[in-house]
């Protein structure tokens, strides 16, 4: 029996499918004719089942806790599933009931839905009205703090709402007119701020460093550039510093936590963006072009007053012949300021270009000005200044007699040289009012006011200097005259080379043309005419070889024996021409030709007049 049980177990273990084993047992019982075999098989099955029951009981005893937990979990899951089915069934029934009820109340629900949307829109309009009512106060605060982009956005948005969704609100008519009026005028404030940064802030720090008085003579330039093909400067101070970085400017954003004017280029970009939002870019460009030359002239006036104040602090008196150095200081200051103005304009042009080419804002078709227009206006202002100080129109020569050379004097004959002369007393005025307490206090008061303006903005914004006013007209830092060109020629030439290097090869600026014309057509002819007059004054007389120089002239020259006045005048004229050769080295050939011509003419005059007088008798 044990063997049969073991065999049955092995058969059960070998068979993976219980149904197959059952079929095998059934087949064995059905095919066997012996009752004994059937009973044997039956007992074997019963024994196997009992063994399985015992094994199952043992396993249940061993895993009772896990089995209990599994049964409980299964029971809980079964209960939750049953509950969920019931709830779903209930929900379905409720949804069907709601559907039927909603279908019955469809018109009323639609009406309530529409009223809810209307009430929500009304609430939004009320909130918008409350915000718009606060716009004037917020706008005033933004304008006071100079956050113009925020003010512009606020104003444009408010006006758009008042002329759009809130157009029919009668209670907002006064506010609508007020904000509309401010929108029409706010661009004028932005344009004024833009010009202040273009011409005031950009030049605020110019002119506060020590001036290099020997700057005009410290560098050697190729001054032949005015008559021969010029050598362009390697670097141009007139170009925009950091131009590559300016071209890569990102979108301008306004930071409300910092001073908006701390970064002037960014502030000008904010102003341009605000003007673009107001659609005032064409008006801005027209205003910039209209005010360009007047603003440059104001810089000229302020710079003149600034130089005059500095001269006054040094104890100098304006308008003297020996002070062309003040003109040089003025030009160098103007060069620096005009370069700063040109740099500021390049920043503005960059921002304008970004606005015009931007796909947003519909700013197409706007014609911008360019850097060449700014350079042309700068040259025009400088040219007018040079025409005044160089006396191109020859206004002062008509009112004043031509100045004689310091060594020239009215000569006398030989007897007068040995005659005793009376001492000449210098003429002195009895009294002057310019040093009175009233005049001093008034001058000090005016200069104190200007110094306060300097300290506030760094740039003089007031009127002309009190020492620069004479009979309602502006005086000059030094007396106008053609000889002023000698001290300003080198700095002016450097500036011209910088401008032309920025313009590109093969182009000539109008200041270059003016300077070339002035020297070739006016200055050289004037020098030639003055030299001829001075020499003719002492040679075109009855007997030029008998007129001697004065004792003062001989003392100044350090000579003991008498000299002919004509010789002194000719020598002084030649020295003057040699000095011009150094100052205007580009025209040294022309001055050398003058020297040779004058020496040749004087030699001929001496030869022509020496037939009647033997010069050796005076040795």
């Amino acid at each position: 029996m044990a063997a049969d049980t073991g065999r049955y177990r092995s058969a059960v273990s070998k068979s993976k499918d219980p149904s197959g084993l059952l079929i095998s047992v059934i087949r064995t019982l059905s095919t066997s004719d012996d009752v004994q075999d059937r009973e044997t098989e039956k007992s074997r099955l019963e024994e196997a089942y009992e063994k399985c029951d015992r094994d199952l009981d043992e396993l249940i005893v061993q895993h009772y806790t896990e089995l209990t937990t599994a049964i409980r979990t299964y029971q809980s899951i079964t209960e939750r599933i049953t509950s969920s089915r019931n709830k779903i069934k209930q929900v379905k029934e409720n949804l069907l009931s709601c559907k039927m009820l909603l279908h019955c109340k469809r018109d009323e629900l639609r009406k309530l839905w529409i009223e809810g949307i209307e009430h929500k829109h009304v609430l939004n309009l009320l909130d918008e009205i409350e915000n718009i009512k606060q716009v004037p106060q917020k706008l005033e605060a933004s304008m006071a703090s100079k956050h113009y982009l925020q003010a512009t956005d606020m104003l444009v948005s408010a006006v758009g709402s008042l002329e759009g969704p809130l157009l029919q609100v009668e209670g907002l008519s006064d506010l609508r007119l007020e904000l509309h009026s401010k929108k029409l005028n706010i661009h004028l404030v932005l344009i004024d701020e833009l010009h202040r940064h273009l011409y005031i802030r950009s030049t605020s720090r110019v002119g506060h460093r020590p001036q290099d008085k020997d700057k005009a003579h410290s560098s050697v330039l190729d001054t032949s550039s005015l008559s021969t093909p010029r050598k362009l400067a390697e670097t141009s101070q007139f170009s925009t510093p950091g131009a590559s970085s300016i071209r890569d400017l990102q979108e301008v954003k306004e930071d409300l936590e910092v001073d908006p004017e701390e970064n002037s280029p960014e502030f000008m970009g904010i102003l341009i963006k605000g003007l673009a939002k107001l659609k005032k870019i064409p008006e801005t460009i027209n205003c910039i072009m209209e005010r360009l030359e007047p603003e440059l002239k104001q810089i000229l006036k302020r710079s003149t007053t600034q130089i005059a104040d500095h001269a006054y602090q040094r104890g100098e008196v304006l308008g003297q012949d020996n002070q062309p150095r003040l003109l040089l200081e003025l030009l160098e200051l103007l060069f620096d300021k005009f370069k700063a103005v040109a740099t500021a304009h390049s920043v503005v042009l960059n921002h304008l270009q970004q606005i015009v080419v931007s796909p947003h804002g519909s700013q197409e078709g706007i014609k911008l000005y360019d850097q060449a227009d700014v350079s042309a206006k700068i040259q025009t202002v400088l040219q007018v200044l040079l025409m005044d100080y160089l006396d191109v129109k020859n206004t002062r020569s008509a009112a004043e007699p031509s100045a004689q050379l310091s060594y020239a004097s009215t000569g006398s004959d030989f007897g007068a040289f040995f005659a005793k002369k009376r001492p000449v007393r210098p003429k002195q005025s009895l009294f002057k009012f310019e040093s009175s307490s009233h005049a001093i206090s008034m001058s000090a008061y005016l200069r104190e006011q200007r110094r306060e303006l300097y300290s506030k903005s760094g740039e003089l914004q007031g009127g002309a200097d009190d020492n620069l006013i004479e009979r309602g007209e502006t005086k000059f830092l030094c007396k106008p005259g053609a000889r002023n060109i000698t001290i300003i020629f080198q700095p002016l030439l450097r500036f011209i080379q910088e401008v032309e290097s920025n313009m590109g090869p093969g182009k000539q600026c109008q200041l270059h043309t003016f300077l070339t014309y002035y020297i070739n057509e006016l200055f050289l002819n004037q020098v030639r005419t003055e030299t001829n007059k001075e020499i003719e004054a002492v040679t075109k007389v009855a007997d030029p070889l008998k007129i001697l120089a004065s004792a003062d002239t001989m003392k100044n020259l350090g000579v003991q024996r008498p000299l002919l006045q004509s010789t002194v005048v000719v020598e002084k004229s030649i020295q003057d021409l040699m000095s011009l050769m150094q100052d205007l080295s580009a025209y040294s050939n022309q001055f050398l030709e003058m020297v040779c011509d004058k020496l040749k003419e004087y030699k001929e005059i001496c030869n022509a007049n020496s037939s009647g007088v033997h010069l050796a008798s005076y040795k």
Side-chain angles (χ1 to χ4, degrees), residues 12 15 46 63 114 138 207 218 226 274 331 359 426 481 494 578-579 607 613:
V12 173
S15 178
E46 290 176 353
H63 301 282
I114 293 174
K138 294 181 179 179
S218 60
L226 291 180
L331 278 183
R494 282 195 295 270
M578 292 175 62
S579 177
N607 291 334
V613 179

Side-chain angles (χ1 to χ4, degrees), residues 458-510:
E459 182 73 24
L460 188 64
Q461 302 182 28
D465 181 75
D466 53 330
N467 277 348
L468 299 179
I469 300 297
E470 182 181 23
R471 295 178 183 177
E473 298 180 358
T474 303
K475 288 177 60 177
F476 295 95
L477 294 174
C478 63
K479 289 186 178 181
R483 294 304 178 101
N484 290 333
I485 190 64
T486 58
I487 194 171
I488 66 173
F489 179 75
Q490 297 288 355
L492 187 59
L493 182 61
R494 282 195 295 270
F495 180 78
I496 290 175
Q497 288 179 337
E498 292 173 4
V499 174
E500 291 181 340
S501 64
N502 192 48
M503 294 172 59
K507 294 184 179 180
Q508 188 178 78
C509 64
Q510 65 186 53

Side-chain angles (χ1 to χ4, degrees), residues 449-461:
Q449 294 296 319
R450 283 193 297 277
R451 277 194 291 271
E452 291 182 1
L453 292 174
Y454 278 125
S455 61
K456 289 181 180 179
S457 63
E459 182 73 24
L460 188 64
Q461 302 182 28

Side-chain angles (χ1 to χ4, degrees), residues 24 38 45 58 82 113 265 432 437 463 544:
S24 175
R38 291 179 180 176
L45 285 173
E58 292 177 359
T82 304
W113 178 71
K432 296 181 179 180
S437 59

Side-chain angles (χ1 to χ4, degrees), residues 261-277:
E261 293 187 287
E262 183 177 355
N263 190 327
S264 185
E266 290 185 2
F267 184 73
M268 289 190 290
I270 289 173
L271 294 175
I272 295 297
K273 189 173 181 180
L275 290 167
K277 289 181 178 293

Side-chain angles (χ1 to χ4, degrees), residues 139-188:
L139 182 64
E140 184 178 356
S142 298
M143 295 294 290
S145 60
K146 297 190 176 182
H147 291 105
Y148 294 116
L149 187 57
Q150 181 192 34
T152 302
D153 291 336
M154 187 189 313
L155 185 58
V156 171
S157 177
V159 173
S161 298
L162 290 173
E163 295 181 352
L166 304 178
L167 182 61
Q168 303 300 325
V169 181
E170 296 295 335
L172 298 177
S173 57
D174 294 339
L175 182 61
R176 185 183 299 109
L177 293 175
E178 179 185 358
L179 294 182
H180 185 71
S181 175
K182 290 184 177 181
K183 183 183 177 183
L184 293 177
N185 297 323
I186 190 174
H187 72 282
L188 300 177

Side-chain angles (χ1 to χ4, degrees), residues 212-370:
D212 187 0
K213 297 182 180 181
D214 298 330
K215 183 178 180 181
H217 305 286
S218 60
S219 61
V220 179
L221 295 174
D222 183 12
T223 54
S224 60
S225 61
L226 291 180
S227 56
T228 60
R230 57 190 177 278
K231 297 181 180 179
L232 300 176
E234 295 181 358
T235 59
S236 174
Q237 297 178 4
F238 203 77
S239 60
T240 304
S244 59
S245 62
I246 293 178
R247 295 188 184 96
D248 299 332
L249 286 175
Q250 302 296 326
E251 184 180 0
V252 177
K253 295 182 179 180
E254 190 174 35
D255 190 355
L256 302 180
E257 302 298 330
V258 300
D259 183 8
E261 293 187 287
E262 183 177 355
N263 190 327
S264 185
E266 290 185 2
F267 184 73
M268 289 190 290
I270 289 173
L271 294 175
I272 295 297
K273 189 173 181 180
L275 290 167
K277 289 181 178 293
L278 295 170
K279 302 185 183 301
K280 296 294 183 179
I281 294 297
E283 291 84 350
T284 302
I285 296 175
N286 293 334
C287 187
I288 288 176
M289 294 308 299
E290 291 175 359
R291 293 176 58 173
L292 177 56
E293 186 171 349
E295 291 287 353
L296 293 175
K297 291 181 179 179
Q298 288 298 321
I299 292 178
L300 170 59
K301 291 181 180 179
R302 293 192 294 266
S303 300
T304 303
T305 305
Q306 185 176 347
I307 296 298
D309 281 342
H310 292 167
Y312 174 79
Q313 294 174 3
R314 295 192 298 264
E316 301 178 4
V317 181
L318 300 181
Q320 294 182 353
D321 290 329
N322 58 349
Q323 285 184 314
R325 174 180 51 80
L326 297 180
L327 175 60
L328 176 60
E329 293 181 9
L330 175 62
L331 278 183
E332 291 177 343
L333 180 60
L334 287 176
F335 292 160
D336 292 338
K337 289 188 176 183
F338 286 163
K339 291 172 187 176
V341 170
T343 301
H345 272 282
S346 66
V347 176
V348 171
L349 281 171
N350 202 288
H351 288 298
L352 288 174
Q353 186 68 24
Q354 292 181 356
I355 293 295
V356 171
V357 301
S358 175
H360 309 288
S362 64
Q363 299 289 336
E364 297 83 1
I366 297 177
K367 184 179 180 182
L368 299 177
Y369 71 101
D370 53 19

